[in-house]
Amino acid sequence: MKMIRSAGIGLTVCLSLALANKAVAQDAEKTKAEIMYQMMDLDYRFALVPANKDSACRMYFANQAKAEFSSFKKLLEPNLALFKPGQQTRLSNLQKAYEELFAADVFNTLKKPDYRLSKSVEDDEAAKRLSDAIHRISRNLLIDNLENIDNLDLVLTLSQLTVAADVTLQTNNSSSCTAAASKQLEQGNALLDKYFQAGRARNPLPLNTDIEQLILAFKNKSNGIPQRTLALYGNGILKLTPSGKVAAKEANKAAREEFLKKEIHLKMLYPTTKVYLTGKIKPLQETEKYALQLPAEGQSFEGRQGLFFNTDAKEAKKKDIADYTFTVIAPGVRDVIIDAPVFLSGRVKANVMFSPEVTVRGYVANIRYHYPVKVEVRNKEGQLEKTLILIDEREELTTTYHADYLRAPKAEERSSVTTINPFYYADSAAKSISFQRDMILRRLQVNSWAETPLLSKALTAAYGSEKVTNAMYPIYGIKDPQPEYADLVTLVEKTKEAISNIGSKDKTAASIADLKGIIEDYEQRLRGDLTPNMRALCLINAAQSALMTDQISKSVAFYKAYLAVEKDNAGIQSSYEGALTNFYYRGLLDDVKSNPVLLGTMPKTWK
């Protein structure tokens, strides 16, 4: 076995000693970063003692950890005030644990103790228990000081691999002593990318850049790994000290004020053509005819209001043979449960898409029921080709019973609860439910059919075709842009062009592919620091682009984020929310071979 010398402390220990001597002259944030870095470095260096079976290797790493602790202690003691009181106590306890550990005779001599026979605290099992206990203390202190807890596994692995890389580079080590470190490098390198992705979204861009460079250095086995890891500790990984938070707040405020001076002015832009939407299952052709068979509720003049099947095909007359027959099956409300009246006071979510809440004070009752609706699609020969399930028989629906529930709603009230008129007293609500239950059920039946205009949207999305006015798809552009925003202006122009080309049948596929790439560009920009108007532009343009590509949930997520930034543009809001219903079912019809097709009602958060 190659001779091991305790004087061969490694590059990291030498670096730590040098840094400790300069601690007085360094600022608080850098000193805190050095303390946390050395704490984890010491933790993983001491863990190499029980990780090795050879007594000489254990002695080498034990003495190396002792030298590292001396550096850590010199830096920690005069700078405990950089940490919160509770953390100061735990750091002091950690220091005391190391002092008691290193006071044992085995760590003050170059003798080779037999760890496997000894029953003292230095035996193999005890050494492992001590290492695990120290790691728990160090890990918890690191957790308390991380700015982004999602970086925990990454920082732990980087610290462990930094020690392992240092050990493998020490030329006076035998292969048996470096075996454990080499194994750590092999296993840890494979996890770095995974752990990086876990915290990436919440990290500032400069920090992500530093992490990527450090990971690359590990993979390339570059020199200077300890220095780079130490630098990372001081570049945004850790929370600031109390004084650092005050200074950072003032600096951020000044920087933000300067940044907002560059705010852009927005203008609304519209695609140059109507957007052409074709049925996702089978768009009916101009030469074809269709028949629409409705249940009893839909056969009256009032029942057909709001039903518009947009298609190039013509509706078959009585004597015509339809190429396709759409039979709407709605057996009526069932399993109706009217809950006991409850008192509501305050704001209630309005039953309109993304609408603000309304004020209600009084007693109302919740009605729970089922109202299954499906459409059977048959060809000219009468063969059943497809079943579209708009509302599954297992889907429970709800509505609110109030004092004006039995009044026939006006057209503009059908999708809104802004007209809720609660009962003043609970017994009045209870009596109304008891005496008028049959009328309530009839009104529920009428309302349930009246609230299914999405039947038209579903049929159009599956078998129809329509051109939607370009006024429904506005995006944001920049008014009088400065040269520094040339790239953003170009992106906006590409967005407008791609949406406009969806109106052309021969360019639609290419435009959809372009829009998917455009969305990625907006997402990349949204990860950076943007002014409110820049963020609003990127969000609404991304929302419209996702809508055009039938990525409905993604589009809604962008739109909700947009509403959090800008709430006073009624033109954008009414256009987007009006267009969304055209696309909801399109997003569910990508698998045209599935049968039956379960569509379901729109999410309540969209209504």
Side-chain angles (χ1 to χ4, degrees):
M1 175 179 172
K2 187 174 180 179
M3 186 65 181
I4 301 176
R5 295 172 296 165
S6 62
I9 294 179
L11 174 61
T12 306
V13 176
C14 297
L15 172 68
S16 301
L17 288 170
L19 292 172
N21 293 332
K22 297 180 180 179
V24 177
Q26 294 171 333
D27 66 275
E29 305 310 322
K30 189 172 183 180
T31 302
K32 178 181 177 180
E34 292 168 10
I35 291 173
M36 298 303 295
Y37 166 80
Q38 287 191 34
M39 178 186 75
M40 297 311 304
D41 188 273
L42 174 59
D43 174 29
Y44 283 114
R45 201 169 292 276
F46 178 69
L48 288 172
V49 175
N52 283 273
K53 298 301 181 182
D54 186 273
S55 297
C57 295
R58 285 171 171 262
M59 178 57 60
Y60 173 76
F61 290 123
N63 282 293
Q64 192 178 83
K66 183 177 180 181
E68 176 84 359
F69 171 68
S70 176
S71 169
F72 173 69
K73 180 179 178 181
K74 289 179 181 179
L75 184 61
L76 175 64
E77 288 182 336
N79 293 295
L80 266 176
L82 297 178
F83 298 87
K84 294 180 179 180
Q87 295 176 18
Q88 293 179 27
T89 301
R90 281 184 286 163
L91 281 165
S92 297
N93 291 339
L94 179 65
Q95 177 182 327
K96 186 181 296 185
Y98 274 121
E99 287 173 339
E100 293 176 356
L101 184 63
F102 292 128
D105 182 66
V106 65
F107 296 116
N108 293 318
T109 178
L110 292 181
K111 294 179 182 178
K112 298 179 180 179
D114 189 338
Y115 287 91
R116 286 160 293 187
L117 297 178
S118 173
K119 299 300 181 182
S120 68
V121 294
E122 295 86 21
D123 66 38
D124 188 58
E125 183 180 354
K128 181 68 168 62
R129 287 200 305 268
L130 287 169
S131 176
D132 290 345
I134 287 172
H135 179 67
R136 284 193 297 270
I137 298 174
S138 301
R139 181 179 183 274
N140 289 336
L141 281 164
L142 178 64
I143 290 174
D144 286 352
N145 284 278
L146 282 179
E147 184 65 37
N148 175 8
I149 188 60
D150 293 336
N151 286 326
L152 176 61
D153 288 334
L154 175 67
V155 176
L156 290 173
T157 304
L158 287 173
S159 294
Q160 182 185 44
L161 298 187
T162 297
V163 172
D166 181 29
V167 168
T168 58
L169 289 175
Q170 294 172 24
T171 56
N172 58 334
N173 273 343
S174 68
S175 59
S176 60
C177 287
T178 60
S182 297
K183 185 177 181 180
Q184 289 175 357
L185 281 173
E186 180 181 350
Q187 295 175 343
N189 271 329
L191 297 172
L192 286 177
D193 287 325
K194 173 186 174 182
Y195 292 155
F196 173 42
Q197 295 303 324
R200 181 173 190 164
R202 292 177 55 197
N203 289 337
L205 185 59
L207 176 58
N208 282 334
T209 300
D210 291 343
I211 293 173
E212 288 175 325
Q213 291 175 351
L214 180 55
I215 291 176
L216 185 62
F218 272 108
K219 292 180 178 179
N220 294 336
K221 299 181 180 180
S222 304
N223 293 324
I225 292 292
Q227 294 94 330
R228 294 188 184 196
T229 305
L230 172 58
L232 186 68
Y233 267 82
N235 288 351
I237 281 284
L238 303 177
K239 294 177 181 177
L240 296 175
T241 63
S243 59
K245 288 181 180 179
V246 173
K249 185 176 180 180
E250 293 176 353
N252 289 339
K253 181 180 179 180
R256 189 65 179 172
E257 290 174 351
E258 187 64 28
F259 182 64
L260 289 177
K261 292 179 181 179
K262 300 180 180 181
E263 181 64 285
I264 61 174
H265 298 286
L266 300 174
K267 63 179 180 180
M268 291 175 65
L269 301 175
Y270 296 90
T272 55
T273 62
K274 293 181 179 180
V275 174
Y276 186 77
L277 304 175
T278 58
K280 297 292 286 287
I281 294 179
K282 184 185 184 302
L284 300 186
Q285 303 302 308
E286 190 174 351
T287 56
E288 295 179 304
K289 296 179 181 180
Y290 73 91
L292 182 59
Q293 298 179 349
L294 301 174
E297 291 83 359
Q299 292 177 7
S300 64
F301 174 79
E302 183 181 31
R304 287 201 61 125
Q305 296 303 301
L307 291 179
F308 300 99
F309 177 26
N310 292 306
T311 173
D312 292 337
K314 302 293 189 295
E315 186 169 6
K317 296 180 180 180
K318 290 184 178 181
K319 296 182 180 181
D320 293 335
I321 298 177
D323 294 284
Y324 280 90
T325 299
F326 302 94
T327 303
V328 181
I329 301 174
V333 295
R334 58 178 61 171
D335 306 324
V336 180
I337 299 175
I338 306 177
D339 294 333
V342 295
F343 182 77
L344 292 183
S345 178
R347 308 290 289 174
V348 176
K349 173 70 173 67
N351 190 28
V352 288
M353 197 181 301
F354 307 109
S355 177
E357 297 173 333
V358 295
T359 301
V360 175
R361 181 178 176 79
Y363 289 88
V364 299
N366 188 48
I367 302 177
R368 294 176 285 142
Y369 64 103
H370 293 82
Y371 186 70
V373 179
K374 66 180 180 180
V375 181
E376 293 183 346
V377 185
R378 287 181 165 79
N379 58 26
K380 184 184 292 186
E381 288 73 31
Q383 297 171 327
L384 180 63
E385 287 194 359
K386 189 79 69 175
T387 300
L388 305 177
I389 301 176
L390 272 70
I391 306 177
D392 187 67
E393 60 184 10
R394 295 165 295 182
E395 183 176 355
E396 186 177 71
L397 307 175
T398 61
T399 190
T400 302
Y401 179 68
H402 54 93
D404 282 346
Y405 182 78
L406 295 177
R407 176 176 63 83
K410 300 176 183 178
E412 65 271 15
E413 296 173 345
R414 285 181 175 171
S415 61
S416 172
V417 298
T418 56
T419 56
I420 277 187
N421 180 21
F423 292 91
Y424 288 112
Y425 304 103
D427 59 347
S428 299
K431 288 179 181 178
S432 177
I433 294 171
S434 176
F435 293 139
Q436 302 187 98
R437 183 177 178 84
D438 291 342
M439 295 179 65
I440 293 173
L441 295 181
R442 285 197 293 272
R443 171 54 63 186
L444 180 62
Q445 177 75 29
V446 172
N447 287 1
S448 296
W449 175 257
E451 293 172 3
T452 57
L454 290 179
L455 169 63
S456 303
K457 303 294 185 183
L459 290 178
T460 301
Y463 292 93
S465 58
E466 61 179 329
K467 283 188 176 182
V468 185
T469 173
N470 53 351
M472 297 297 288
Y473 307 102
I475 61 174
Y476 270 145
I478 304 176
K479 184 179 181 181
D480 301 325
Q482 299 298 315
E484 60 189 295
Y485 300 122
D487 289 346
L488 186 56
V489 171
T490 300
L491 179 60
V492 170
E493 291 174 349
K494 287 173 58 179
T495 307
K496 181 182 176 182
E497 181 182 6
I499 294 177
S500 297
N501 285 339
I502 290 180
S504 174
K505 292 184 179 180
D506 59 341
K507 295 182 179 179
T508 297
S511 296
I512 288 176
D514 289 342
L515 284 172
K516 289 181 178 179
I518 287 170
I519 292 170
E520 293 178 359
D521 202 335
Y522 282 122
E523 287 178 316
Q524 181 63 36
R525 291 173 184 272
L526 286 166
R527 296 188 187 103
D529 191 14
L530 301 176
T531 65
N533 283 356
M534 289 180 190
R535 187 166 294 278
L537 180 149
C538 290
L539 286 169
I540 196 59
N541 290 7
Q544 298 287 29
S545 299
L547 202 61
M548 297 296 109
T549 54
D550 292 335
Q551 300 179 79
I552 312 304
S553 295
K554 192 170 191 175
S555 176
V556 170
F558 282 129
Y559 181 67
K560 287 184 175 181
Y562 161 77
L563 289 180
V565 177
E566 184 176 71
K567 301 178 180 179
D568 58 354
N569 192 327
I572 287 282
Q573 294 178 32
S574 61
S575 297
Y576 177 87
E577 294 174 17
L580 180 59
T581 55
N582 291 324
F583 283 86
Y584 173 68
Y585 288 124
R586 294 181 61 82
L588 302 177
L589 290 168
D590 286 333
D591 184 6
V592 297
K593 295 181 179 180
S594 64
N595 193 24
V597 180
L598 178 59
L599 299 176
T601 57
M602 290 181 67
K604 290 183 178 180
T605 52
W606 297 4
K607 293 182 179 179

